[in-house]
Amino acid sequence: MSSVVATTDRSKGIRIVGLLTIIAGALLIVAGGVTWGAVSAKLSDERITVSEDAAAFGGQTVNTPWAAFAQADIINEHALAATDGKTYAELGKEDPLRATAMNGSFLRASLFTSVVAFGVAALVMGLGVLFVLTGWAFRAIGSRPAVAADDASPVLTV
């Protein structure tokens, strides 16, 4: 003789947690996408183009992390060429080239900040995808039919 083990309450809870996880994942995907778009738009508004002598993306508008990185890299090369290979910290306080090195450092830091912002946006979107997949898995587990167990078999409840 067998009986059905009641799992309805637990299944409903798992399905609700799954739904909430999917909703959180969707919100993360949207938030990451909005952030990516905002950073891209703000960079486009600056009308920065990658220098033609850059290793990649020469002449393109800086509105992606790759273009921002390429422009930051070439700014470093230009600043070092202007200061005979010396960084801001290596130049004397009265050296007129120190301002050139400082401006190059500030521009690079600003572009690298946008690269990091793009990375955070991508991370958030990736986490959103993982949340959606996890929520989907919870809902799939929660919608499985009740398990039949033999009366003679011990039933483990958690």
Side-chain angles (χ1 to χ4, degrees):
M1 178 174 179
S2 65
S3 63
V4 176
V5 177
T7 58
T8 311
D9 291 339
R10 188 182 324 166
S11 295
K12 186 176 180 183
I14 290 172
R15 290 181 55 76
I16 289 171
V17 168
L19 179 62
L20 293 174
T21 304
I22 290 170
I23 292 168
L27 290 173
L28 287 171
I29 292 168
V30 169
V34 167
T35 301
W36 184 286
V39 173
S40 180
K42 291 299 179 184
L43 279 174
S44 291
D45 290 347
E46 294 296 322
R47 297 186 181 105
I48 304 166
T49 56
V50 179
S51 182
E52 292 293 340
D53 60 340
F57 307 105
Q60 292 185 15
T61 300
V62 175
N63 59 5
T64 65
W66 306 280
F69 188 88
Q71 181 61 14
D73 188 51
I74 197 66
I75 286 172
N76 186 48
E77 287 184 33
H78 291 169
L80 289 173
T83 61
D84 294 325
K86 292 183 179 178
T87 64
Y88 174 82
E90 294 171 323
L91 294 167
K93 289 184 180 182
E94 302 302 322
D95 193 326
L97 294 176
R98 197 162 195 219
T100 300
M102 180 178 61
N103 286 338
S105 286
F106 289 160
L107 290 170
R108 287 179 60 233
S110 181
L111 288 168
F112 283 140
T113 299
S114 68
V115 171
V116 171
F118 278 118
V120 170
L123 172 68
V124 168
M125 288 186 288
L127 287 172
V129 169
L130 287 175
F131 271 49
V132 168
L133 292 174
T134 301
W136 176 78
F138 282 163
R139 290 189 54 84
I141 290 168
S143 59
R144 291 199 175 156
V147 179
D150 186 7
D151 283 343
S153 301
V155 177
L156 177 62
T157 58
V158 182

PDB file of all heavy atoms in Angstrom, residues 97-113:
ATOM      1  N   LEU A  97      56.682  70.383 -18.107  1.00  0.00           N
ATOM      2  CA  LEU A  97      56.050  69.195 -18.680  1.00  0.00           C
ATOM      3  C   LEU A  97      55.188  68.438 -17.660  1.00  0.00           C
ATOM      4  O   LEU A  97      54.436  67.542 -18.025  1.00  0.00           O
ATOM      5  CB  LEU A  97      57.115  68.250 -19.249  1.00  0.00           C
ATOM      6  CG  LEU A  97      57.886  68.784 -20.452  1.00  0.00           C
ATOM      7  CD1 LEU A  97      58.978  67.794 -20.861  1.00  0.00           C
ATOM      8  CD2 LEU A  97      56.935  69.039 -21.615  1.00  0.00           C
ATOM      9  N   ARG A  98      55.314  68.844 -16.406  1.00  0.00           N
ATOM     10  CA  ARG A  98      54.535  68.165 -15.354  1.00  0.00           C
ATOM     11  C   ARG A  98      53.035  68.354 -15.591  1.00  0.00           C
ATOM     12  O   ARG A  98      52.242  67.450 -15.345  1.00  0.00           O
ATOM     13  CB  ARG A  98      54.932  68.700 -13.983  1.00  0.00           C
ATOM     14  CG  ARG A  98      54.490  67.794 -12.861  1.00  0.00           C
ATOM     15  CD  ARG A  98      55.260  68.105 -11.606  1.00  0.00           C
ATOM     16  NE  ARG A  98      55.074  66.995 -10.677  1.00  0.00           N
ATOM     17  CZ  ARG A  98      54.918  67.145  -9.381  1.00  0.00           C
ATOM     18  NH1 ARG A  98      54.961  68.338  -8.846  1.00  0.00           N
ATOM     19  NH2 ARG A  98      54.758  66.097  -8.606  1.00  0.00           N
ATOM     20  N   ALA A  99      52.610  69.493 -16.080  1.00  0.00           N
ATOM     21  CA  ALA A  99      51.196  69.735 -16.361  1.00  0.00           C
ATOM     22  C   ALA A  99      50.702  68.803 -17.473  1.00  0.00           C
ATOM     23  O   ALA A  99      49.582  68.285 -17.418  1.00  0.00           O
ATOM     24  CB  ALA A  99      50.959  71.189 -16.746  1.00  0.00           C
ATOM     25  N   THR A 100      51.537  68.576 -18.471  1.00  0.00           N
ATOM     26  CA  THR A 100      51.180  67.652 -19.552  1.00  0.00           C
ATOM     27  C   THR A 100      50.997  66.245 -19.008  1.00  0.00           C
ATOM     28  O   THR A 100      50.014  65.560 -19.339  1.00  0.00           O
ATOM     29  CB  THR A 100      52.277  67.651 -20.642  1.00  0.00           C
ATOM     30  OG1 THR A 100      52.405  68.973 -21.164  1.00  0.00           O
ATOM     31  CG2 THR A 100      51.955  66.673 -21.753  1.00  0.00           C
ATOM     32  N   ALA A 101      51.930  65.803 -18.168  1.00  0.00           N
ATOM     33  CA  ALA A 101      51.825  64.471 -17.568  1.00  0.00           C
ATOM     34  C   ALA A 101      50.590  64.372 -16.679  1.00  0.00           C
ATOM     35  O   ALA A 101      49.893  63.350 -16.669  1.00  0.00           O
ATOM     36  CB  ALA A 101      53.091  64.156 -16.769  1.00  0.00           C
ATOM     37  N   MET A 102      50.309  65.435 -15.932  1.00  0.00           N
ATOM     38  CA  MET A 102      49.150  65.440 -15.035  1.00  0.00           C
ATOM     39  C   MET A 102      47.849  65.363 -15.842  1.00  0.00           C
ATOM     40  O   MET A 102      46.955  64.576 -15.520  1.00  0.00           O
ATOM     41  CB  MET A 102      49.149  66.703 -14.170  1.00  0.00           C
ATOM     42  CG  MET A 102      47.972  66.791 -13.216  1.00  0.00           C
ATOM     43  SD  MET A 102      48.027  68.261 -12.171  1.00  0.00           S
ATOM     44  CE  MET A 102      47.957  69.570 -13.373  1.00  0.00           C
ATOM     45  N   ASN A 103      47.740  66.160 -16.893  1.00  0.00           N
ATOM     46  CA  ASN A 103      46.531  66.120 -17.721  1.00  0.00           C
ATOM     47  C   ASN A 103      46.349  64.737 -18.341  1.00  0.00           C
ATOM     48  O   ASN A 103      45.229  64.220 -18.403  1.00  0.00           O
ATOM     49  CB  ASN A 103      46.579  67.194 -18.807  1.00  0.00           C
ATOM     50  CG  ASN A 103      46.339  68.573 -18.258  1.00  0.00           C
ATOM     51  OD1 ASN A 103      45.758  68.732 -17.194  1.00  0.00           O
ATOM     52  ND2 ASN A 103      46.803  69.585 -18.982  1.00  0.00           N
ATOM     53  N   GLY A 104      47.427  64.150 -18.807  1.00  0.00           N
ATOM     54  CA  GLY A 104      47.355  62.804 -19.372  1.00  0.00           C
ATOM     55  C   GLY A 104      46.871  61.795 -18.339  1.00  0.00           C
ATOM     56  O   GLY A 104      46.035  60.936 -18.638  1.00  0.00           O
ATOM     57  N   SER A 105      47.384  61.912 -17.125  1.00  0.00           N
ATOM     58  CA  SER A 105      46.967  60.996 -16.046  1.00  0.00           C
ATOM     59  C   SER A 105      45.497  61.174 -15.713  1.00  0.00           C
ATOM     60  O   SER A 105      44.770  60.190 -15.522  1.00  0.00           O
ATOM     61  CB  SER A 105      47.793  61.235 -14.785  1.00  0.00           C
ATOM     62  OG  SER A 105      49.082  60.735 -14.943  1.00  0.00           O
ATOM     63  N   PHE A 106      45.049  62.425 -15.647  1.00  0.00           N
ATOM     64  CA  PHE A 106      43.637  62.680 -15.327  1.00  0.00           C
ATOM     65  C   PHE A 106      42.716  62.143 -16.431  1.00  0.00           C
ATOM     66  O   PHE A 106      41.684  61.538 -16.143  1.00  0.00           O
ATOM     67  CB  PHE A 106      43.385  64.162 -15.116  1.00  0.00           C
ATOM     68  CG  PHE A 106      43.965  64.721 -13.846  1.00  0.00           C
ATOM     69  CD1 PHE A 106      44.183  66.083 -13.717  1.00  0.00           C
ATOM     70  CD2 PHE A 106      44.296  63.903 -12.776  1.00  0.00           C
ATOM     71  CE1 PHE A 106      44.724  66.610 -12.533  1.00  0.00           C
ATOM     72  CE2 PHE A 106      44.822  64.414 -11.604  1.00  0.00           C
ATOM     73  CZ  PHE A 106      45.037  65.775 -11.484  1.00  0.00           C
ATOM     74  N   LEU A 107      43.090  62.378 -17.671  1.00  0.00           N
ATOM     75  CA  LEU A 107      42.270  61.883 -18.783  1.00  0.00           C
ATOM     76  C   LEU A 107      42.217  60.350 -18.790  1.00  0.00           C
ATOM     77  O   LEU A 107      41.162  59.753 -18.991  1.00  0.00           O
ATOM     78  CB  LEU A 107      42.821  62.399 -20.118  1.00  0.00           C
ATOM     79  CG  LEU A 107      42.648  63.892 -20.369  1.00  0.00           C
ATOM     80  CD1 LEU A 107      43.445  64.321 -21.607  1.00  0.00           C
ATOM     81  CD2 LEU A 107      41.181  64.244 -20.527  1.00  0.00           C
ATOM     82  N   ARG A 108      43.359  59.727 -18.563  1.00  0.00           N
ATOM     83  CA  ARG A 108      43.397  58.257 -18.519  1.00  0.00           C
ATOM     84  C   ARG A 108      42.547  57.730 -17.366  1.00  0.00           C
ATOM     85  O   ARG A 108      41.787  56.776 -17.534  1.00  0.00           O
ATOM     86  CB  ARG A 108      44.838  57.771 -18.359  1.00  0.00           C
ATOM     87  CG  ARG A 108      45.646  57.935 -19.619  1.00  0.00           C
ATOM     88  CD  ARG A 108      47.086  57.470 -19.471  1.00  0.00           C
ATOM     89  NE  ARG A 108      47.122  56.070 -19.122  1.00  0.00           N
ATOM     90  CZ  ARG A 108      47.788  55.583 -18.071  1.00  0.00           C
ATOM     91  NH1 ARG A 108      48.454  56.376 -17.267  1.00  0.00           N
ATOM     92  NH2 ARG A 108      47.793  54.301 -17.834  1.00  0.00           N
ATOM     93  N   ALA A 109      42.666  58.345 -16.202  1.00  0.00           N
ATOM     94  CA  ALA A 109      41.888  57.890 -15.042  1.00  0.00           C
ATOM     95  C   ALA A 109      40.390  58.015 -15.320  1.00  0.00           C
ATOM     96  O   ALA A 109      39.606  57.123 -14.975  1.00  0.00           O
ATOM     97  CB  ALA A 109      42.278  58.693 -13.798  1.00  0.00           C
ATOM     98  N   SER A 110      40.008  59.105 -15.969  1.00  0.00           N
ATOM     99  CA  SER A 110      38.598  59.298 -16.287  1.00  0.00           C
ATOM    100  C   SER A 110      38.103  58.232 -17.261  1.00  0.00           C
ATOM    101  O   SER A 110      37.024  57.657 -17.089  1.00  0.00           O
ATOM    102  CB  SER A 110      38.400  60.694 -16.883  1.00  0.00           C
ATOM    103  OG  SER A 110      37.053  60.912 -17.174  1.00  0.00           O
ATOM    104  N   LEU A 111      38.888  57.948 -18.282  1.00  0.00           N
ATOM    105  CA  LEU A 111      38.498  56.909 -19.239  1.00  0.00           C
ATOM    106  C   LEU A 111      38.482  55.533 -18.581  1.00  0.00           C
ATOM    107  O   LEU A 111      37.583  54.720 -18.847  1.00  0.00           O
ATOM    108  CB  LEU A 111      39.435  56.922 -20.448  1.00  0.00           C
ATOM    109  CG  LEU A 111      39.239  58.110 -21.391  1.00  0.00           C
ATOM    110  CD1 LEU A 111      40.387  58.207 -22.383  1.00  0.00           C
ATOM    111  CD2 LEU A 111      37.909  58.013 -22.121  1.00  0.00           C
ATOM    112  N   PHE A 112      39.447  55.258 -17.715  1.00  0.00           N
ATOM    113  CA  PHE A 112      39.461  53.960 -17.025  1.00  0.00           C
ATOM    114  C   PHE A 112      38.268  53.834 -16.072  1.00  0.00           C
ATOM    115  O   PHE A 112      37.747  52.745 -15.864  1.00  0.00           O
ATOM    116  CB  PHE A 112      40.770  53.742 -16.267  1.00  0.00           C
ATOM    117  CG  PHE A 112      41.918  53.351 -17.157  1.00  0.00           C
ATOM    118  CD1 PHE A 112      43.181  53.866 -16.947  1.00  0.00           C
ATOM    119  CD2 PHE A 112      41.750  52.460 -18.202  1.00  0.00           C
ATOM    120  CE1 PHE A 112      44.252  53.512 -17.760  1.00  0.00           C
ATOM    121  CE2 PHE A 112      42.808  52.097 -19.029  1.00  0.00           C
ATOM    122  CZ  PHE A 112      44.059  52.627 -18.812  1.00  0.00           C
ATOM    123  N   THR A 113      37.821  54.948 -15.508  1.00  0.00           N
ATOM    124  CA  THR A 113      36.626  54.907 -14.666  1.00  0.00           C
ATOM    125  C   THR A 113      35.411  54.480 -15.488  1.00  0.00           C
ATOM    126  O   THR A 113      34.582  53.696 -15.028  1.00  0.00           O
ATOM    127  CB  THR A 113      36.383  56.282 -14.014  1.00  0.00           C
ATOM    128  OG1 THR A 113      37.519  56.598 -13.202  1.00  0.00           O
ATOM    129  CG2 THR A 113      35.136  56.280 -13.154  1.00  0.00           C
TER     130      THR A 113
END
